[in-house]
Amino acid sequence: MDSNNNAMIAILLLLGILSFTQLELTAAQVGVCYGRNGDNLPTQQQVIDLYKSNGITRMRIYDPDQPTLQALKGSNIELILDVPKDQLQSLTDATTAANWVNTNIKAYSSDVKFKYITVGNEVEPSDGNSNYVLQAMQNIQNAINSANLQSQIKVSIAIKTDLVANTYPPDQGVFSDAAINYIRPIIKFLVSNGSPLLANVYPYFAYKDDTSIGLDYALFTKQDKNDAGYTNLFDAMLDAIYAALEKEGANNVNVVVSESGWPSAGDVGATVENAGNYYKNLISHVKGGTVKRPNGPIETYLFAMFDEDLKKESEAEKHFGVFNPDKSPKYQLSFN
């Protein structure tokens, strides 16, 4: 935060326009994703207590797990709640969607700070479930409106960055031919409802697939700019998404980074040192903006709270936790 911003904040505090509580929330842009795909994890209440004791004020969960929602009551933790992929088809029925919202959101809305409902995580255009996403989003939105929660809760999806093509230089970013028919009506939905687009942004996987990228560029430690004006891969990936949105006329749609992380074991470049550096540097970096969107901060969710030993995609997928299952920190991080 530069001196001009500090001076403005001081003036607003003196005038009583900005409270210290608001200032704290403005600065704390980092949340952590809470996945439960492990057989050795703490109870939901213990997890919520761990968030609170570490000053983590935002959380993402991947299904409406009732014990988690119960434990979140009164915690003041802002929440992203996902609709699981296997529920998308059922939510194309308006009555089912209304019941889902009433059971999982409205019933808790006075005590739990829902922020976004993610109707599908990384649903690929080639996945049959992609046919249900837009209708499910519309039905969930209508149910949110009926519950009079539309000013508090925004409905969106979470995409993988591979829906964007021509990602370098980032200004050339465009939604791919394979993705455009899927994503275009969703973007129109986001624009009309004032919702952000959520994106899972992983420099790690880009680096793993092409180590010529340079570890320093992936870990925010590169000092000099490349020929496109970037010092880090995270900003380049994020700005390619913004460029693709602009080409769809969605200049005002904000991108929330709904996942970003680095594994500590299991594959190329996956070490405790690299992962610790990535998380520490990411937390610091997102207090600012990108080349295309210099006015930060960037709302970002670290993936993930714990190592998850039941994940099957790859060995590295089991090692993204910033805490160990015994609740001890894997790295020395400050989350705000």
Side-chain angles (χ1 to χ4, degrees):
M1 191 175 288
D2 63 30
S3 58
N4 289 338
N5 282 340
N6 286 333
M8 180 60 70
I9 287 170
I11 292 168
L12 292 173
L13 286 168
L14 285 170
L15 293 174
I17 295 169
L18 182 68
S19 71
F20 280 105
T21 302
Q22 287 171 313
L23 177 58
E24 185 179 46
L25 289 174
T26 303
Q29 287 296 312
V30 172
V32 183
C33 301
Y34 169 33
R36 305 190 321 279
N37 203 356
D39 60 8
N40 55 356
L41 301 181
T43 66
Q44 288 91 331
Q45 185 61 61
Q46 289 173 330
V47 173
I48 304 309
D49 291 343
L50 190 60
Y51 272 71
K52 289 159 68 175
S53 65
N54 283 275
I56 305 170
T57 58
R58 289 176 173 162
M59 172 187 287
R60 179 183 181 187
I61 60 176
Y62 294 89
D63 67 302
D65 177 59
Q66 300 301 303
T68 302
L69 293 173
Q70 289 286 347
L72 280 165
K73 285 183 172 181
S75 68
N76 220 31
I77 294 171
E78 292 184 319
L79 184 68
I80 301 177
L81 171 61
D82 280 26
V83 174
K85 189 186 293 187
D86 62 7
Q87 295 180 21
L88 290 172
Q89 184 174 6
S90 68
L91 296 180
T92 59
D93 175 74
T95 302
T96 304
N99 290 338
W100 193 94
V101 167
N102 289 336
T103 300
N104 300 310
I105 299 171
K106 189 177 179 182
Y108 295 95
S109 60
S110 61
D111 301 302
V112 176
K113 294 181 70 172
F114 295 98
K115 190 170 190 185
Y116 309 123
I117 307 302
T118 307
V119 185
N121 178 50
E122 296 186 346
V123 179
E124 296 286 352
S126 58
D127 184 332
N129 287 297
S130 66
N131 297 317
Y132 312 127
V133 171
L134 181 62
Q135 186 62 59
M137 292 177 78
Q138 291 167 337
N139 288 343
I140 293 288
Q141 182 69 61
N142 290 339
I144 292 289
N145 294 349
S146 296
N148 202 30
L149 293 169
Q150 67 274 16
S151 62
Q152 174 191 340
I153 303 169
K154 297 298 182 182
V155 176
S156 189
I157 61 166
I159 65 166
K160 292 175 72 172
T161 52
D162 65 4
L163 267 59
V164 178
N166 302 339
T167 55
Y168 193 86
D171 267 344
Q172 300 300 310
V174 62
F175 288 107
S176 68
D177 291 343
I180 193 62
N181 290 333
Y182 165 63
I183 200 70
R184 183 171 281 159
I186 290 171
I187 291 169
K188 290 179 180 176
F189 171 94
L190 300 178
V191 171
S192 64
N193 288 285
S195 294
L197 175 66
L198 277 58
N200 300 338
V201 180
Y202 283 97
Y204 171 73
F205 290 115
Y207 168 76
K208 179 181 82 74
D209 293 340
D210 181 8
T211 54
S212 69
I213 284 172
L215 189 61
D216 58 346
Y217 188 57
L219 293 177
F220 302 98
T221 56
K222 181 178 171 66
Q223 299 300 314
D224 52 318
K225 295 178 180 178
N226 60 19
D227 54 5
Y230 287 81
T231 60
N232 68 86
L233 183 53
F234 177 87
D235 282 359
M237 295 174 76
L238 190 49
D239 277 354
I241 300 172
Y242 274 120
L245 285 168
E246 289 170 2
K247 290 178 180 67
E248 294 300 312
N251 300 48
N252 294 327
V253 171
N254 189 45
V255 178
V256 171
V257 178
S258 44
E259 291 181 8
S260 192
W262 195 286
S264 59
D267 212 327
V268 176
T271 67
V272 170
E273 181 181 9
N274 286 345
N277 285 334
Y278 181 79
Y279 287 115
K280 175 171 63 72
N281 293 337
L282 176 66
I283 291 167
S284 175
H285 179 77
V286 298
K287 293 175 182 176
T290 68
V291 175
K292 186 175 273 294
R293 293 287 193 277
N295 296 324
I298 304 163
E299 186 176 344
T300 300
Y301 293 76
L302 309 186
F303 187 87
M305 194 66 173
F306 301 105
D307 286 350
E308 296 175 73
D309 64 346
L310 298 181
K311 286 221 161 190
K312 297 175 181 174
E313 296 92 332
S314 69
E315 183 60 29
E317 291 276 356
K318 301 176 181 180
H319 300 282
F320 275 86
V322 295
F323 287 88
N324 296 304
D326 66 2
K327 301 187 290 184
S328 63
K330 204 192 290 187
Y331 319 105
Q332 295 303 310
L333 301 176
S334 173
F335 294 94
N336 50 47

